[in-house]
Amino acid sequence: MKVLITGAAGFIGYHLGTRLLQRGNQVVGLDNVNDYYDVSLKEARLQRLQKNRKFRFVRLDLANRDGVMALFRAEKFDRVVNLAAQAGVRYSLENPQAYVDANLVGFTNVLEGCRHSQVRHLVFASSSSVYGLNTNMPFSVHDNVDHPISLYAASKKANELMAHTYAHLFNLPCTGLRFFTVYGPWGRPDMALFLFTKAILEGRPIRVFNHGNMLRDFTYIDDIVEGVVRVLDRTPVANPDWSGARPDPGSSPAPFRIYNIGNNQPVRLMDFIAAIEQKLGRTAEKEMLPMQPGDVAATYANVDDLIRDVDFHPRTSIEEGIGRFIEWYRDYYGA
């Protein structure tokens, strides 16, 4: 099986690529290797992937329509996992155009590539951010998500709508995955675990938003990848019980599904910080700050549908996951 992973130099893309290569798939990794965060970290991930002869890297921006279409025509992918996106909630307040280019224009080009080359299954990254002002916990894919509070979240909701349209019009099987706060080795430097670890080791204060009154459904990368692989192998089919009189947002009369993919065990931010302190053997100096625009106070994934359909069961405790990240961080940065 030949799989295209967009965003292959990214955190989740790197780990997914590694897993697919281990099981013998051919993997083409696409990434524009932009400078949203440390390019050397992205290059280091790619170097590890490129050691496998079944991996080929293509440096390309998804917004390049001609380049994307040429790649799809040449490669004849069996399945596609779209992880490429402009990430970050707070950054979307500063640079909205980047989200339009990557998350809307780029995703349109992926959909067109899949449509015209008969890709058998498109799996794409959505986000827990789509729940926005929804406070009904745990978040369910069967709930309405029409009130996003950041452009990043709005772009991810748009991706879900765009994919559904292609599933309906062109019978393109599409599965959207709403990721919940993924963490682990090789993680993004703009995420809390990386920022906290770096600051504590350097003796600098950590910035704790909403005065620490946050809940996050932190999900370890290995559990995420296991879920993505299981979903990739299960092509969605139409829901015969779907009714336009009582429309279910999580399924469709088209070959389309949306799933939450999270740990299903939200953790208090202050407990998360305490676990980092314990693993580092150091106490953090904390700068308590108000809630940031675009952030939500809590995330909590209902993963019942994913359990039912692919037997998804996260297995990594927060203490174990943080320990593995810190071990990687100390080794990689010599800290």
Side-chain angles (χ1 to χ4, degrees), residues 20-335:
L20 292 179
L21 290 167
Q22 286 171 348
R23 74 173 195 172
N25 293 143
Q26 288 182 269
V27 177
V28 175
L30 178 151
D31 207 294
N32 66 356
V33 196
N34 66 30
D35 61 359
Y36 171 65
Y37 63 79
D38 183 12
V39 170
S40 67
L41 182 60
K42 298 180 179 182
E43 296 284 5
R45 295 177 186 136
L46 285 172
Q47 286 172 11
R48 292 169 67 90
L49 289 170
Q50 287 171 318
K51 291 177 182 177
N52 191 305
R53 61 183 179 80
K54 289 193 173 184
F55 179 82
R56 188 168 80 82
F57 175 60
V58 177
R59 189 178 298 254
L60 181 66
D61 194 312
L62 278 184
N64 179 343
R65 181 173 62 184
D66 292 342
V68 171
M69 293 306 293
L71 178 68
F72 272 87
R73 281 194 301 269
E75 295 288 348
K76 302 291 190 294
F77 301 112
D78 297 300
R79 288 172 172 81
V80 174
V81 183
N82 185 70
L83 300 172
Q86 178 57 61
V89 169
R90 292 169 196 145
Y91 187 61
S92 67
L93 277 69
E94 304 166 21
N95 191 359
Q97 198 64 46
Y99 293 77
V100 173
D101 294 342
N103 301 5
L104 300 180
V105 176
F107 190 59
T108 300
N109 291 337
V110 169
L111 288 168
E112 279 289 281
C114 291
R115 168 196 172 190
H116 289 291
S117 57
Q118 288 78 54
V119 166
R120 298 207 296 265
H121 189 191
L122 167 63
V123 176
F124 65 96
S126 185
S127 168
S128 61
S129 298
V130 301
Y131 287 100
L133 294 176
N134 185 344
T135 57
N136 185 28
M137 297 283 177
F139 293 151
S140 170
V141 296
H142 305 291
D143 291 341
N144 180 285
V145 288
D146 284 342
H147 297 87
I149 57 173
S150 70
L151 185 64
Y152 170 69
S155 72
K156 288 300 187 178
K157 167 67 173 178
N159 286 170
E160 295 179 5
L161 297 174
M162 294 158 71
H164 180 266
T165 303
Y166 272 68
H168 172 73
L169 290 175
F170 308 115
N171 204 38
L172 171 64
C174 293
T175 304
L177 295 174
R178 293 174 179 168
F179 292 112
F180 279 69
T181 318
V182 188
Y183 74 100
W186 297 95
R188 277 173 32 204
D190 61 327
M191 297 293 281
L193 178 54
F194 201 114
L195 291 169
F196 290 163
T197 299
K198 186 173 191 291
I200 293 169
L201 286 173
E202 293 175 356
R204 295 183 291 102
I206 64 173
R207 303 170 75 201
V208 183
F209 294 110
N210 198 30
H211 304 284
N213 298 314
M214 307 276 259
L215 280 172
R216 285 291 181 271
D217 205 343
F218 294 102
T219 313
Y220 188 66
I221 183 62
D222 289 0
D223 293 328
I224 287 285
V225 167
E226 179 64 29
V228 174
V229 170
R230 290 181 180 219
V231 166
L232 183 65
D233 290 342
R234 185 184 189 276
T235 304
V237 295
N239 177 5
D241 299 323
W242 195 90
S243 167
R246 298 179 305 280
D248 169 25
S251 67
S252 172
F256 175 86
R257 283 291 187 281
I258 292 289
Y259 295 109
N260 288 332
I261 184 164
N263 201 45
N264 191 229
Q265 292 185 0
V267 175
R268 290 180 60 247
L269 182 58
M270 298 308 294
D271 292 339
F272 187 71
I273 293 169
I276 299 170
E277 292 173 322
Q278 193 273 325
K279 293 294 182 182
L280 290 174
R282 303 189 188 187
T283 301
E285 179 186 347
K286 302 170 185 71
E287 181 183 358
M288 309 304 278
L289 296 168
M291 179 81 90
Q292 295 295 287
D295 272 357
V296 296
T299 64
Y300 179 4
N302 178 323
V303 294
D304 289 351
D305 286 16
L306 205 55
I307 293 170
R308 179 197 67 210
D309 290 349
V310 300
D311 197 27
F312 171 76
H313 293 281
R315 304 188 186 280
T316 311
S317 70
I318 202 76
E319 293 78 15
E320 184 181 0
I322 288 173
R324 290 180 190 171
F325 171 82
I326 289 173
E327 183 180 349
W328 167 80
Y329 185 94
R330 286 186 180 279
D331 178 66
Y332 186 78
Y333 289 101

